[in-house]
Amino acid sequence: MRPEDLLQYIGKEYSKFDDEGKAYGCMMPVYMLYPEIPRYDWPEEGKYFAESVLALLKKHGCPIKLDEIKSGDVVAFRMPFGFLHIGVYMGDDWIVHCMTDETMERCRFSYAIRRLDGVFRWGRG
């Protein structure tokens, strides 16, 4: 799948869980784009959730500088109230992400960049 192929899923429902009962959450577009990456046992929400997820992203993805970002890179950013969120950069100031557990959407990367925690490259890099 190419990054631009994710756009066909905008607004469409998807299964919240994989065959093993693990939740996709906001990682859904990442899993779709990179099916070869492992399905992590994400830590439960709580005090150390963001730090744990960032550690997993750093372990399995290659951190890159913002000026090196390209379509298909994974972005981690904070939502209001500090929640960590994951999306896929599409280019031209767009990211694809899952704000709810059932649908994908896109938003401006300029929204995320103000709260950016990291950019990571996977797979075909």
Side-chain angles (χ1 to χ4, degrees), residues 40-101:
Y40 306 118
D41 289 323
W42 294 107
E44 291 187 30
E45 289 284 347
K47 185 175 181 182
Y48 300 106
F49 176 78
E51 291 76 15
S52 298
V53 172
L54 284 171
L56 287 170
L57 293 172
K58 290 174 184 174
K59 178 181 178 183
H60 297 288
C62 178
I64 61 167
K65 295 178 183 177
L66 184 57
D67 62 354
E68 298 171 344
I69 196 168
K70 66 180 185 176
S71 180
D73 287 339
V74 178
V75 296
F77 59 100
R78 302 286 172 144
M79 297 298 293
F81 309 110
F83 296 110
L84 186 71
H85 192 57
I86 308 298
V88 174
Y89 182 69
M90 302 302 296
D92 296 325
D93 193 39
W94 289 105
I95 61 171
V96 169
H97 66 114
C98 295
M99 185 58 68
T100 69
D101 288 332

Side-chain angles (χ1 to χ4, degrees), residues 1 6 9 12-18 22-35 37 39-40 42 74 85-88 96-105 122:
M1 177 179 281
L6 291 173
Y9 297 99
K12 294 183 181 175
E13 291 186 19
Y14 67 87
S15 175
K16 181 178 176 178
F17 299 99
D18 67 12
K22 293 181 182 176
Y24 289 119
C26 63
M27 285 290 290
M28 184 62 181
V30 178
Y31 290 148
M32 290 179 74
L33 189 57
Y34 303 110
I37 67 171
R39 301 294 195 265
Y40 306 118
W42 294 107
V74 178
H85 192 57
I86 308 298
V88 174
V96 169
H97 66 114
C98 295
M99 185 58 68
T100 69
D101 288 332
E102 293 90 22
T103 60
M104 265 190 254
E105 56 188 60
W122 254 300

